[in-house]
C-alpha cells in the first residue's frame, strides 16, 4: 500500500509540474493558430472556411504518412528500405515513435505478427549484450584486484568507469551527431537520446525525417546500432536504480 501510494503520488507530482510548465505554451500556440487562421481568411477573401479546413486536415494526414509539399512536388522516402528498417527497429524495441505507422490492413497485420516474435527476440539479445557488458566489467575488476591487490575499490572503480563511459558514448556524444545531421540544439539531441534509449519514444523528435536535409547512407544504420547497445546499457543502469529503490 505504501509503494502504491508513492507510485500514485509520483505520477500526481509529475502531472502538476508538467501542467504548470506546458499549459501556458499550449494556450499560446492555440491562440496563435486561431489568429493566423482568421488573418488568412480576412486577407484572402476567395478562400472559404470549410475548404481551408479540408486542406488543413489533408496536410496533417499527409504529414502523418510522411508526405510533405516541396513546391509543386511531394517528398517521399519514409518507407524506403532504410526508413522501413528503422521503423522495424522502433517496433521491436517498443520505442514506437508514433510519427510513422502502417496505413494498409495487410501492413498492420504484418506489424502485429512481426512485433509478436520480434519483441522477445529483442529482449533476449539485449539481455545477452547486457550480460557481456557486466562480464567485461567484472573481468576488468578482477584483473585490477590481481595487479594492484585492491578488493572493494576495484569493483567500485570499474562500475564507475562503465557508467561514465556509457554516459559518454550513449548520451553525451550522440547529441553532437544529431546537431550536425538534424540541425537540433544539443539539448534537443540529449532529450531525443534519453527518450529513445528509455523506449519512451514520444515521436516529437525523430532522426532522418527532415525533407530539407540530405542524410548519408550510413546514418540510420549507425543510429540503429547505437539504439541497440544504448538500450542494453541503460537497462543495466535502470536495473541498478531498481535495486536501490527496493
Amino acid at each position: 500500500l505504501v509503494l502504491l501510494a508513492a507510485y500514485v503520488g509520483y505520477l500526481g507530482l509529475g502531472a502538476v509540474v508538467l501542467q504548470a510548465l506546458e499549459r501556458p505554451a499550449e494556450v499560446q500556440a492555440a491562440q496563435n493558430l486561431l489568429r493566423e487562421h482568421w488573418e488568412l481568411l480576412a486577407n484572402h477573401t476567395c478562400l472559404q472556411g470549410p475548404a481551408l479546413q479540408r486542406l488543413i486536415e489533408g496536410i496533417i494526414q499527409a504529414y502523418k504518412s510522411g508526405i510533405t509539399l516541396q513546391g509543386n512536388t511531394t517528398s517521399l522516402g519514409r518507407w524506403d528500405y532504410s526508413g522501413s528498417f528503422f521503423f522495424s527497429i522502433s517496433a521491436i524495441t517498443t520505442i514506437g515513435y508514433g510519427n510513422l505507422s502502417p496505413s494498409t490492413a495487410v501492413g498492420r497485420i504484418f506489424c502485429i505478427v512481426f512485433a509478436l516474435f520480434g519483441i522477445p527476440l529483442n529482449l533476449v539479445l539485449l539481455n545477452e549484450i547486457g550480460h557481456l557488458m557486466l562480464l567485461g566489467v567484472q573481468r576488468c575488476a578482477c584483473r585490477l584486484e590481481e595487479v594492484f591487490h585492491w578488493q572493494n575499490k576495484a569493483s567500485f572503480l570499474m562500475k564507475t568507469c562503465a557508467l561514465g563511459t556509457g554516459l559518454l558514448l550513449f548520451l553525451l556524444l550522440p547529441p553532437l551527431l544529431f546537431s550536425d545531421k538534424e540541425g537540433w540544439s544539443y539539448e534537443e539531441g540529449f532529450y531525443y537520446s534519453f527518450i529513445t534509449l528509455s523506449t519512451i519514444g514520444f515521436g516529437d523528435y525523430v532522426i532522418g525525417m527532415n525533407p530539407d536535409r540530405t542524410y548519408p547512407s550510413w546514418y540510420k544504420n549507425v543510429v540503429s546500432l547505437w539504439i541497440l547497445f544504448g538500450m542494453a546499457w541503460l537497462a543495466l543502469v535502470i536495473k541498478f536504480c531498481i535495486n536501490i529503490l527496493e
Side-chain angles (χ1 to χ4, degrees), residues 100-113:
L100 188 63
S101 58
S103 59
T104 63
V106 177
R108 290 167 182 165
I109 293 173
F110 173 77
C111 188
I112 293 173
V113 177

Side-chain angles (χ1 to χ4, degrees), residues 14-26:
V16 169
V17 174
L18 287 171
Q19 181 183 17
L21 294 175
E22 299 296 330
R23 183 65 175 177
E26 180 188 35

Side-chain angles (χ1 to χ4, degrees), residues 51-64:
L52 178 60
Q53 185 65 28
R54 287 194 298 270
L55 175 62
I56 294 173
E57 292 174 355
I59 293 174
I60 293 174
Q61 187 60 40
Y63 181 78
K64 289 180 178 179

Side-chain angles (χ1 to χ4, degrees), residues 49-92:
L52 178 60
Q53 185 65 28
R54 287 194 298 270
L55 175 62
I56 294 173
E57 292 174 355
I59 293 174
I60 293 174
Q61 187 60 40
Y63 181 78
K64 289 180 178 179
S65 301
I67 302 171
T68 57
L69 286 173
Q70 292 181 320
N72 294 325
T73 61
T74 56
S75 66
L76 299 172
R78 290 193 178 185
W79 284 114
D80 58 9
Y81 183 79
S82 62
S84 300
F85 185 84
F86 192 72
F87 172 79
S88 300
I89 287 284
S90 68
I92 67 172

Side-chain angles (χ1 to χ4, degrees), residues 28 32 51 68 72 74 82 92 135 137 145 153 156 163 169 173 188 214 236:
Q28 184 64 41
N32 292 339
T68 57
N72 294 325
T74 56
S82 62
I92 67 172
L135 188 61
V137 171
E145 289 178 1
K153 291 182 179 180
F156 176 78
L163 178 63
L169 291 177
L173 289 181
E188 290 171 328
T214 302
L236 293 177

Side-chain angles (χ1 to χ4, degrees), residues 160-190:
T160 303
C161 290
L163 178 63
T165 302
L167 190 65
L168 185 68
L169 291 177
F170 300 121
L171 288 179
L172 297 180
L173 289 181
L176 299 177
L177 175 65
F178 301 140
S179 297
D180 178 59
K181 301 301 179 184
E182 304 290 342
W184 299 341
S185 66
Y186 185 86
E187 177 270 329
E188 290 171 328
F190 184 85

